[in-house]
Amino acid sequence: MTSVPPAADQKLNDDVLWDDFDPGVYISHNYLEMQAVDEEILSHVRDHFSDHFRGRGRVASGIDVGAGPNLYPALAMLPWCDRITLLERSARNLEYLRRQCPDYAPHWDQFWNVLCKDEAYATLGMTPRVRFKEAIQQPESGSLFDLCADTRRWDLGTMFFVAESITTSLAEFRRGVGCFMNALNSGAPFAAAFMEHSEGYRVGSHEFPARDIDESEVRAVLGGYADHVEIHRTANPKQLVRDGYTGMILACGQRKERRDE
Ligand SMILES: C[S@@+](CC[C@H](N)C(=O)[O-])C[C@H]1O[C@@H](n2cnc3c(N)ncnc32)[C@H](O)[C@@H]1O
């Protein structure tokens, strides 16, 4: 049997030097000042989690996959789970996350303030920094793709700009989404964000790959794993703060009943 060689311009996840990812440059471009698009996305995520958990107790565990130097998905999970795993492949991003755990940087407060428009966040009972430190403890070095074989399961999950932004391969994109879904317990609420029609992106002097995907691809791939999926698309040209893409797609839903339980 002969294997099909990958296309010459294909860049798989393992082909990339993820330790070249510069968290400082990435943050200055994306998260030092909150962009309107992130505020919009974060508001949807807050409402999704808050609607799901209203009247129920806190669950044990949450996971943010490919956390990179972005704390806002974890902040959105703070009221709802005891522990949060921040899973990340790049050593530099892990180092950034480790440094944020004891006392995160003040620019993340603007994101927390958006979350506090919901009472559950505003009445957390302790400062978000204390809760963050308690919930995260240690960011975890690892790969999204290893979650497919991992026997651990989480009760809540986020994955922001990862599955489509770590490869040019459609098969890898789909596998990545499947591995994220594999990590979640039946009924677990999740939020996953994707760049639409991304051509790849630059962080400082390094280029990183992306798979061009759209809303129908996101719906199709999630359809096998998730119920009640709601898609929010943001495509205001004034909000295209990152380069080489046409918009952002946020998918909020719940993990389907698993057949392996
Ligand atoms: C575009 S960044 C997104 C970072 C962050 N989630 C955000 O919202 O800005 C993609 C992230 O995925 C990480 N990554 C790349 N390959 C990965 C893998 N196989 N497993 C987990 N994370 C990975 C990168 O190091 C980087 O932090």
Side-chain angles (χ1 to χ4, degrees):
M1 203 167 78
T2 52
S3 60
V4 182
D9 54 353
Q10 177 153 279
K11 219 165 202 192
L12 298 178
N13 186 245
D14 275 345
D15 297 333
V16 180
L17 295 174
W18 289 103
D19 291 351
D20 285 343
F21 197 106
D22 184 330
V25 170
Y26 186 75
I27 287 173
S28 331
H29 193 56
N30 296 303
Y31 301 130
L32 213 47
E33 271 181 44
M34 185 173 62
Q35 309 293 334
V37 67
D38 290 299
E39 181 171 0
E40 188 178 333
I41 286 176
L42 187 56
S43 302
H44 286 304
V45 177
R46 173 197 69 207
D47 294 347
H48 174 55
F49 289 161
S50 200
D51 289 348
H52 177 89
F53 286 108
R54 193 169 297 120
R56 308 182 195 201
R58 210 189 252 179
V59 291
S61 60
I63 183 168
D64 182 34
V65 176
N70 181 6
L71 304 194
Y72 81 65
L75 293 176
M77 290 191 271
L78 277 191
W80 313 121
C81 55
D82 295 335
R83 296 285 305 271
I84 299 173
T85 304
L86 298 183
L87 185 75
E88 171 54 49
R89 179 169 182 167
S90 153
R92 285 173 89 181
N93 287 341
L94 279 163
E95 181 48 32
Y96 172 80
L97 292 169
R98 281 190 195 108
R99 277 188 280 109
Q100 294 301 301
C101 280
D103 185 18
Y104 60 72
H107 67 93
W108 294 111
D109 290 337
Q110 50 196 324
F111 297 89
W112 180 252
N113 291 340
V114 171
L115 292 166
C116 283
K117 291 180 183 163
D118 182 286
E119 204 192 341
Y121 293 85
T123 58
L124 194 60
M126 61 176 84
T127 72
R129 281 183 175 74
V130 171
R131 182 80 255 282
F132 188 83
K133 184 177 163 187
E134 170 195 273
I136 310 284
Q137 298 188 2
Q138 238 348 295
E140 186 175 314
S141 171
S143 171
L144 160 65
F145 299 110
D146 294 339
L147 293 175
C148 272
D150 202 312
T151 53
R152 291 176 296 170
R153 303 278 179 264
W154 286 261
D155 305 308
L156 170 64
T158 52
M159 180 173 71
F160 274 54
F161 314 119
V162 179
E164 82 299 354
S165 293
I166 58 172
T167 180
T168 59
S169 153
L170 182 59
E172 253 189 352
F173 163 75
R174 289 177 176 165
R175 191 154 63 86
V177 174
C179 289
F180 172 53
M181 287 287 120
N182 187 57
L184 301 179
N185 276 317
S186 295
F190 68 86
F194 306 91
M195 306 300 279
E196 181 191 66
H197 295 307
S198 175
E199 299 163 356
Y201 57 106
R202 177 177 275 276
V203 181
S205 54
H206 297 279
E207 297 278 351
F208 293 94
R211 172 69 210 184
D212 175 345
I213 52 103
D214 61 13
E215 183 178 331
S216 64
E217 176 59 36
V218 170
R219 263 191 203 286
V221 69
L222 283 174
Y225 306 96
D227 286 327
H228 315 299
V229 176
E230 271 190 34
I231 303 258
H232 307 271
R233 182 172 170 269
T234 58
N236 180 343
K238 287 191 192 137
Q239 293 184 357
L240 296 180
V241 285
R242 300 159 175 99
D243 307 318
Y245 67 102
T246 56
M248 293 184 193
I249 298 166
L250 173 71
C252 294
Q254 260 180 276
R255 178 69 169 92
K256 264 187 185 158
E257 204 61 37
R258 302 179 65 108
R259 297 212 184 91
D260 56 354
E261 284 176 346

